[in-house]
Amino acid sequence: MRESVKINRENWNLWAQSWSERYGREEQIQAILQNPSGVWDPAIWKMIQSALPSMEGKRICIPSSGDNHAAFAFASMGAQVTSCDISVCQLENARRIAQRHGWSITFVEADTMELAGVPSDTYDLVFTSNGVHVWIEDLPAMYRSIARVMKPGGAYIAYEIHPFQRPFDERTEGACLRVIKPYDATGPFVDDGVKFHWRLEDILNAMACAGLQLTCLREIPARVDDEEPFWQPANQNNENDHAGSREEIEKMYDWRHNPLAALPQFLGVQAQKPLAP
Ligand SMILES: C[S@@+](CC[C@H](N)C(=O)[O-])C[C@H]1O[C@@H](n2cnc3c(N)ncnc32)[C@H](O)[C@@H]1O
């Protein structure tokens, strides 16, 4: 196992409890049950609908599944879901929620760069949510694995932080952008784990080399009504503190006040595994 994966796995096992207290609360799970498509940005939901007009019986694999909100939403809509993560503690917390709700989700402890134990040519959809690429040391290996498990003709959809946000300090003062690193400084960055800031070309070329064909690319603005604001008003950048008046938060989405809002915040990518010749 790669050293970066060992370190990140250990950290994620330690963080799983607080992650579950933050994202595994019963009221959040009930909200998913009432409105499963609400877990995705509308642009991503459109991609999902175009790939899978009906979920019933469709096979969906979710590598680096984290909080598993996507897994719960897909399962509640009738899909057969395989949820993969390197953290057994993250998987265990999600398994408990799935059992409570009677969702038959298969949980697999697997590194997204290998997806060992996940069958080949099987999935109608592979979906990765935001905060996945940053932990991945070898993007070509990740996309070779994703392409392997997809059915011929199957779809891959990713929702991810837009790489253009990476070079800037997220605390903008006096409506000025402050550059903290060049765009092509991709890491590894070692602080709380081993992280990578991949560029658009790194992600798209890794997909292309794995034989996936791009069908749609969306550059998506954050929405002020997202469950967690993308930006915090000044002095409130503490991740445990989402306070700030509605007016202060709305100002953060105006590029005249916060220049980072002039850049896309999220990326949506849809690709297809070609049908066998
Ligand atoms: C920030 S979460 C993002 C996932 C999901 N979008 C979410 O919001 O919860 C990152 C997850 O990726 C997992 N992870 C990190 N590196 C991984 C790897 N190489 N293979 C599989 N999972 C990995 C972590 O254990 C964690 O559960």
Side-chain angles (χ1 to χ4, degrees), residues 5 8-9 12-13 19 23 63-69 84-87 90 110-113 128-132 134-137:
V5 176
N8 291 337
R9 183 177 64 164
W12 275 104
N13 278 333
W19 203 253
Y23 299 108
S64 302
S65 51
D67 60 25
N68 276 271
H69 285 186
C84 308
D85 203 285
I86 44 160
S87 162
Q90 292 273 74
D111 176 353
T112 296
M113 289 174 274
T128 58
S129 189
N130 62 318
V132 167
V134 72
W135 304 103
I136 300 294
E137 181 174 345

Side-chain angles (χ1 to χ4, degrees), residues 31-185:
I32 294 173
L33 259 175
Q34 272 157 34
N35 179 24
S37 64
V39 305
W40 298 290
D41 182 280
I44 299 298
W45 175 232
K46 245 188 186 172
M47 284 181 176
I48 294 170
Q49 283 179 300
S50 79
L52 294 185
S54 157
M55 295 279 163
E56 206 51 52
K58 292 292 188 298
R59 293 186 167 192
I60 300 179
C61 178
I62 306 184
S64 302
S65 51
D67 60 25
N68 276 271
H69 285 186
F72 302 149
F74 284 129
S76 74
M77 290 189 280
Q80 293 175 34
V81 179
T82 301
S83 161
C84 308
D85 203 285
I86 44 160
S87 162
V88 278
C89 300
Q90 292 273 74
L91 293 171
E92 201 39 54
N93 290 337
R95 190 198 311 276
R96 250 182 270 123
I97 294 172
Q99 265 168 4
R100 203 162 60 231
H101 290 275
W103 293 317
S104 77
I105 298 174
T106 304
F107 292 96
V108 182
E109 183 187 347
D111 176 353
T112 296
M113 289 174 274
E114 296 175 8
L115 294 179
V118 182
S120 302
D121 299 316
T122 298
Y123 293 94
D124 300 284
L125 174 66
V126 175
F127 178 79
T128 58
S129 189
N130 62 318
V132 167
H133 292 81
V134 72
W135 304 103
I136 300 294
E137 181 174 345
D138 184 346
L139 285 190
M142 163 173 159
Y143 279 105
R144 278 195 302 275
S145 302
I146 286 176
R148 175 181 65 74
V149 304
M150 289 165 71
K151 254 186 194 165
Y156 168 67
I157 295 175
Y159 179 60
E160 193 48 276
I161 299 281
H162 199 297
F164 291 175
Q165 291 286 327
R166 297 288 193 201
F168 305 106
D169 190 337
E170 58 188 52
R171 288 155 306 178
T172 54
E173 276 165 34
C176 285
L177 276 182
R178 196 168 80 84
V179 176
I180 50 173
K181 72 171 197 65
Y183 182 60
D184 61 5

